[in-house]
Amino acid sequence: MATILAKFLLLLFTISICNAVTIPTPISDSHRSAALQLFHGSSSSLEETYEALRVFEILALENKPDVSAATCQNVVENLGSSSSLKDLFYALKVNGILKCKVDRAVFQGTASRLKATVNDASTLVDIYYTIGSLVLIKDQAPNVDMLLADADGTFHSIKALSQSDGRWRYSSDNPESSTYAAGLALEALAGVISLASSEIDQSRVNTVKSDILKLFDSIQKYDDGTFYFDEKFGGGREHQGSLSTTSSVVRGVTSFAAVTSGKIDLPGDKVLGLAKFFLGIGVPGSAKDFFNQVESLALLESKRVPIPLVLSLPATVYSLSKKDQLKVTVNTVLGSAAPPLTVKLVRAFHTDAKGSAVIEGKELQYDQSRGLHVLSVFPDNVDVGTYVFVFEIVLHDSGSENDYAIGGQIHVPIYVTGIVKVSNAEIAVLDSDLGSDETQKTLDLAGTDVVSLSANHLQKSRFSFQLTTPHGRAFKPRQVLLKLRHETKYEHIFVVRNTGKKFEIILDFLGLVDKFYYLSGRYDFELTVGDAVMENSFLRPLGHLELDLPEAPEKAARLPPLPVDPYSRYGPKAEIGHLFRAPEKRPPQNVSLAFLILTLLPFIGFLVGLLRLGVNFKNFPSSAVPATYAILFQLGVAAVLLLYVLFWLKLDLFTTLKALGFLGAFLLFVGHRILSHLASTSAKLKSA
Amino acid sequence: MVRSTTKDAQDLIRALWSAYSATPTNLKIIDHYVAFAVFTALIQVVYVALVGTFPFNSFLSGVLSCVGTAVLAVSLRIQLNKENKEFKDIAPERAFADFVLCNVVLHLVIMNFLG
């Protein structure tokens, strides 16, 4: 339990640090494995194929040979036919990496076609693709005639689209300007300069250089020194995010810097800020973002602009008990070695005491075998706690200072952890008046022994202990909590305060009677001591206390409900007891049967009476037809009675009514016949 | 005086009995039927007085069937009695047919209410 708590606290603090200040780390193997995953599929377009190949080239990963063959075929097809400018451009880019076998005649034909379209191109994108393709052909087929006849004119037409704030428009019809377009334009201008048959006027080149500086004035930044370019709003073209915009500018600026003789005075901190921006992305998720990031970083390393050097620390948590050493690495953005330099630890200070420095002016030793700068031993005054270390890079070759962008002082938060000693733990029950120790017990908090005490409401309990750091100083952790839990699960938490060296808490039960809800009984003690820099944070049960409190008065507050265990919501609920109406009292069965027989008696009496009267069947018709009707009538009545019995026993009203309808009709008919017969016979008798 | 009252009562009963004997047989049958119905009703009332009215609908159904059929029988007797001048023109068979039909309907309702 204690170790779990300690690890959790440590993790929380590490996460919080990472969110606060991210120190960029150079490209590492995680990038390479991500690249293999992102770019594994067969790409549909030449643009994606080119991106994959370029990433593999920069990260020095192996290409798949069968993919190369298929791609080469695709490239040759595109070069031969009249495909779009974009496809041609990317086909040539792919060819630049794969170096497929293409006929010189194909190059010649393509070049002449392109030279013809240069003057017709109206939009910036078209000019960009055309000039870019021509530059690529020049690199791949050196003996083909590439030079532009009217380089000045092309230069002018590109420059005409520039804006005063350093950005560019896409075409003369479209008034919106874009930073992404500025990148394309700079690359195109660089291409024109390299293809020009005669020198371009130097003043024009200088105008472009000042355009670049104006563009850098509009750079955006984050608080931690990261610089990037972004578009103001989407506009007509699809919105380019900050990554693609910044990569486009980097591409443009580096290609322009490559063809011009003088230097462009780009401020070093902005270049370093751009490197931080690209590295701060981490490992991008999409192929296009990955390509933009890696290609921009490679271009920043290409010596055309000051090369950014990145200082990073493999670990920011150092353990005194394990005697860790402070390690620092300085690399270029792609992870390759830096020029000879020294890392200076300018000063280190505790986050609570920003004024006084704990370490000042130390140089780190360079370990050649591991490529690290190391501070072998922390000085004695570095105790457990949170510090900020301030580093500075000093190049050995002071002349090459303009070639590298190293930034100023770098602030890094460092955690120094150690084992905190817990000692002199004492717990006692005191008499309130005298303050004398009735029962005092010492505890070894490192072990597992527990105490058992008893007290009543007139007494106090005192608990004290000391915390010491590995270097012998008093330590104040973030959490020192004492919890008392009653057997009914009511808990009370107290913060233990420190005075100087000692942590002490005195619980005066007289004042706490109300807070404890007048519950007497056994209370369990639990002590929690925790901090991020404490390697042995713990949660330890101390023992129990039998507390005798007076009875609750009638006006005392009712016990608040205990927090419900949240998982009990999903358990079974209490059984519901249904209350049914008590069944009515029924008579005993014998009584009912007796009365049933009694009820039938009058019927028997009726039959007896009839017999005594001398009823007979003499009037029953003798001839056949009336006789049948008579019989049917009697049967019909009997059937109706039977139907009623069935109705009572099991039928429902509708069935009965249906049957009764039929029977009734039958009965009416038959009854009518027999009764009319009887009537006619009696009428005959009367008349006769 | 007591002896004369009892003798008067006996004479009265004897006179009633001899007058009653003169009634036609079919009317006597109907009288027997009515007596049967009334006695059945009385027995049911005694039963309910003994054990309580729990299924009250059944009690009502039973008693009302007896009473209803008695009423219908009485009306049949009225119609069949030759001394009633109002019903001279109605054929006895017609009266009997009415009696049967009304009983059929009454007993349907009774059976539905019996539960």
Side-chain angles (χ1 to χ4, degrees):
Chain A
M1 187 65 197
T3 46
I4 294 170
L5 179 69
K7 279 181 195 156
F8 179 65
L9 285 172
L10 202 60
L11 182 65
L12 251 180
F13 263 93
T14 322
I15 291 170
S16 65
I17 299 169
C18 290
N19 287 337
V21 176
T22 41
I23 304 169
T25 48
I27 301 279
S28 61
D29 284 330
S30 57
H31 260 88
R32 293 189 168 81
S33 50
L36 283 169
Q37 281 194 348
L38 274 174
F39 292 105
H40 64 91
S42 60
S43 327
S44 47
S45 72
L46 279 168
E47 188 177 350
E48 288 168 19
T49 319
Y50 161 65
E51 286 173 4
L53 287 169
R54 181 87 176 107
V55 164
F56 277 35
E57 188 187 35
I58 295 171
L59 295 179
L61 294 168
E62 283 296 318
N63 258 328
K64 292 203 197 83
D66 51 338
V67 172
S68 315
T71 322
C72 267
Q73 201 171 353
N74 199 1
V75 161
V76 171
E77 272 171 27
N78 266 299
L79 286 180
S81 62
S82 59
S83 40
S84 71
L85 283 173
K86 184 171 168 186
D87 283 337
L88 189 59
F89 176 69
Y90 282 111
L92 284 165
K93 281 232 181 219
V94 169
N95 191 34
I97 301 178
L98 287 180
K99 302 194 189 347
C100 305
K101 283 197 181 354
V102 181
D103 281 338
R104 185 178 171 279
V106 174
F107 277 133
Q108 185 77 49
T110 320
S112 16
R113 199 162 28 103
L114 286 171
K115 275 202 274 191
T117 57
V118 157
N119 294 324
D120 298 335
S122 53
T123 66
L124 179 63
V125 176
D126 284 342
I127 299 180
Y128 169 74
Y129 284 136
T130 319
I131 300 287
S133 310
L134 284 170
V135 169
L136 289 164
I137 295 179
K138 177 166 171 264
D139 289 331
Q140 292 161 26
N143 39 7
V144 172
D145 173 31
M146 290 309 318
L147 301 177
L148 278 178
D150 186 17
D152 271 329
T154 320
F155 195 99
H156 179 76
S157 56
I158 300 175
K159 188 74 178 64
L161 293 171
S162 74
Q163 303 289 90
S164 55
D165 59 354
R167 302 197 289 166
W168 245 265
R169 282 178 298 155
Y170 279 106
S171 68
S172 37
D173 317 338
N174 195 351
E176 286 163 7
S177 57
S178 139
T179 316
Y180 184 83
L184 297 178
L186 289 171
E187 247 186 286
L189 285 171
V192 169
I193 294 176
S194 65
L195 291 171
S197 47
S198 58
E199 273 280 326
I200 303 275
D201 197 7
Q202 193 58 32
S203 59
R204 289 182 153 201
V205 173
N206 289 339
T207 337
V208 177
K209 281 192 190 171
S210 58
D211 278 337
I212 293 179
L213 290 173
K214 270 189 267 177
L215 189 64
F216 267 75
D217 283 339
S218 74
I219 203 170
Q220 320 241 9
K221 67 177 280 200
Y222 289 130
D223 284 338
D224 60 353
T226 307
F227 286 89
Y228 66 100
F229 288 97
D230 205 357
E231 302 283 23
K232 284 233 173 67
F233 61 96
R237 273 183 84 86
E238 51 176 278
H239 178 70
Q240 304 282 349
S242 51
L243 177 57
S244 21
T245 316
T246 316
S247 333
S248 161
V249 172
V250 166
R251 238 176 269 133
V253 169
T254 46
S255 45
F256 196 81
V259 296
T260 54
S261 48
K263 285 202 78 81
I264 310 173
D265 284 324
L266 285 177
D269 60 338
K270 290 195 176 158
V271 175
L272 188 62
L274 286 173
K276 269 195 188 169
F277 170 72
F278 288 118
L279 288 174
I281 297 170
V283 179
S286 78
K288 193 146 191 77
D289 286 346
F290 201 98
F291 163 72
N292 276 329
Q293 180 200 40
V294 169
E295 210 216 4
S296 311
L297 288 172
L299 286 172
L300 285 175
E301 232 183 59
S302 61
K303 291 198 169 59
R304 301 176 194 172
V305 289
I307 300 177
L309 292 174
V310 175
L311 183 142
S312 59
L313 280 83
T316 52
V317 178
Y318 294 96
S319 165
L320 285 178
S321 50
K322 292 199 208 117
K323 297 205 186 323
D324 286 340
Q325 298 175 326
L326 178 69
K327 298 185 191 88
V328 171
T329 56
V330 179
N331 297 92
T332 61
V333 290
L334 287 182
S336 33
L341 50 84
T342 316
V343 177
K344 273 208 175 96
L345 176 58
V346 175
R347 71 178 192 286
F349 52 89
H350 202 278
T351 42
D352 293 337
K354 290 199 171 65
S356 60
V358 189
I359 310 177
E360 252 181 308
K362 268 203 177 316
E363 276 190 13
L364 274 74
Q365 257 60 44
Y366 183 58
D367 183 350
Q368 192 102 21
S369 53
R370 290 184 292 172
L372 298 168
H373 300 262
V374 174
L375 182 69
S376 48
V377 140
F378 280 99
D380 275 342
N381 53 351
V382 173
D383 210 345
V384 293
T386 56
Y387 295 88
V388 175
F389 279 40
V390 183
F391 294 100
E392 209 175 50
I393 301 176
V394 176
L395 290 167
H396 285 173
D397 180 13
S398 53
S400 60
E401 264 187 21
N402 285 334
D403 297 337
Y404 294 98
I406 50 180
Q409 295 188 338
I410 301 156
H411 293 242
V412 179
I414 298 276
Y415 281 73
V416 180
T417 67
I419 295 189
V420 171
K421 197 170 74 143
V422 188
S423 54
N424 293 354
E426 286 172 351
I427 186 162
V429 173
L430 309 170
D431 257 340
S432 171
D433 303 342
L434 305 170
S436 66
D437 297 336
E438 270 224 354
T439 51
Q440 169 145 334
K441 299 199 176 152
T442 47
L443 268 179
D444 176 22
L445 285 179
T448 53
D449 50 330
V450 294
V451 296
S452 95
L453 302 163
S454 66
N456 60 33
H457 67 287
L458 296 169
Q459 294 173 316
K460 300 186 209 179
S461 96
R462 181 183 67 204
F463 173 60
S464 62
F465 60 98
Q466 286 178 342
L467 292 173
T468 343
T469 65
H471 286 296
R473 293 189 198 93
F475 180 66
K476 183 168 186 289
R478 289 281 176 105
Q479 295 167 336
V480 186
L481 304 169
L482 182 69
K483 181 156 81 170
L484 268 76
R485 184 171 50 232
H486 189 240
E487 43 205 6
T488 56
K489 306 261 184 283
Y490 280 97
E491 296 177 342
H492 310 277
I493 301 181
F494 302 92
V495 175
V496 184
R497 307 227 179 264
N498 71 326
T499 50
K501 281 201 108 173
K502 207 160 71 150
F503 280 86
E504 191 183 45
I505 181 168
I506 298 179
L507 293 171
D508 184 3
F509 295 120
L510 194 60
L512 289 171
V513 163
D514 213 14
K515 189 170 175 323
F516 282 9
Y517 309 118
Y518 295 89
L519 290 170
S520 302
R522 186 182 141 133
Y523 282 84
D524 289 324
F525 279 107
E526 228 174 47
L527 178 69
T528 309
V529 175
D531 193 277
V533 299
M534 194 169 147
E535 282 171 20
N536 57 332
S537 305
F538 61 87
L539 171 80
R540 188 187 182 299
L542 297 176
H544 57 267
L545 173 77
E546 290 288 339
L547 192 57
D548 193 14
L549 297 176
E551 287 290 318
E554 278 168 22
K555 277 186 286 184
R558 283 179 50 211
L559 292 175
L562 278 173
V564 178
D565 177 21
Y567 291 105
S568 68
R569 193 196 302 190
Y570 304 109
K573 290 204 171 352
E575 281 286 322
I576 301 173
H578 296 276
L579 290 174
F580 295 104
R581 191 185 61 175
E584 296 279 339
K585 225 171 28 136
R586 304 304 290 265
Q589 202 148 358
N590 305 327
V591 175
S592 305
L593 280 172
F595 267 89
L596 180 65
I597 294 166
L598 269 179
T599 312
L600 290 174
L601 279 181
F603 183 65
I604 296 167
F606 171 64
L607 290 175
V608 165
L610 283 182
L611 281 173
R612 276 191 35 181
L613 278 178
V615 290
N616 49 31
F617 285 102
K618 287 202 187 102
N619 214 9
F620 199 82
S622 44
S623 49
V625 169
T628 45
Y629 279 130
I631 292 171
L632 281 176
F633 177 72
Q634 303 297 336
L635 283 177
V637 171
V640 168
L641 291 175
L642 184 65
L643 176 68
Y644 285 168
V645 169
L646 279 176
F647 172 41
W648 181 47
L649 285 178
K650 46 188 243 184
L651 292 178
D652 63 356
L653 187 60
F654 300 106
T655 331
T656 315
L657 282 177
K658 256 196 307 196
L660 190 61
F662 293 121
L663 267 179
F666 167 71
L667 196 62
L668 272 174
F669 172 68
V670 167
H672 175 74
R673 293 308 288 268
I674 184 63
L675 284 172
S676 57
H677 170 78
L678 281 173
S680 63
T681 45
S682 62
K684 272 192 216 143
L685 268 174
K686 265 203 202 135
S687 61
Chain B
M1 289 298 147
V2 175
R3 275 183 66 196
S4 57
T5 24
T6 44
K7 199 166 175 293
D8 285 335
Q10 278 177 349
D11 286 338
L12 179 63
I13 290 169
R14 223 176 277 127
L16 275 175
W17 186 255
S18 55
Y20 183 67
S21 310
T23 53
T25 323
N26 52 353
L27 294 182
K28 280 196 193 151
I29 295 172
I30 295 174
D31 290 336
H32 276 78
Y33 182 72
V34 172
F36 147 63
V38 169
F39 274 118
T40 315
L42 279 176
I43 291 177
Q44 283 177 71
V45 170
V46 165
Y47 179 70
V48 156
L50 270 182
V51 299
T53 62
F54 166 52
F56 194 58
N57 56 315
S58 315
F59 161 65
L60 277 182
S61 168
V63 166
L64 286 179
S65 94
C66 297
V67 167
T69 196
V71 163
L72 288 171
V74 164
S75 74
L76 176 67
R77 192 186 192 279
I78 292 171
Q79 287 179 334
L80 286 179
N81 201 349
K82 293 196 176 51
E83 289 163 23
N84 278 345
K85 297 297 179 264
E86 292 121 28
F87 296 104
K88 208 166 51 155
D89 302 322
I90 296 182
E93 285 78 16
R94 162 76 195 278
F96 182 68
D98 283 342
F99 172 73
V100 168
L101 187 66
C102 291
N103 262 312
V104 163
V105 171
L106 172 74
H107 283 93
L108 174 69
V109 173
I110 289 300
M111 287 313 229
N112 194 22
F113 198 53
L114 197 58

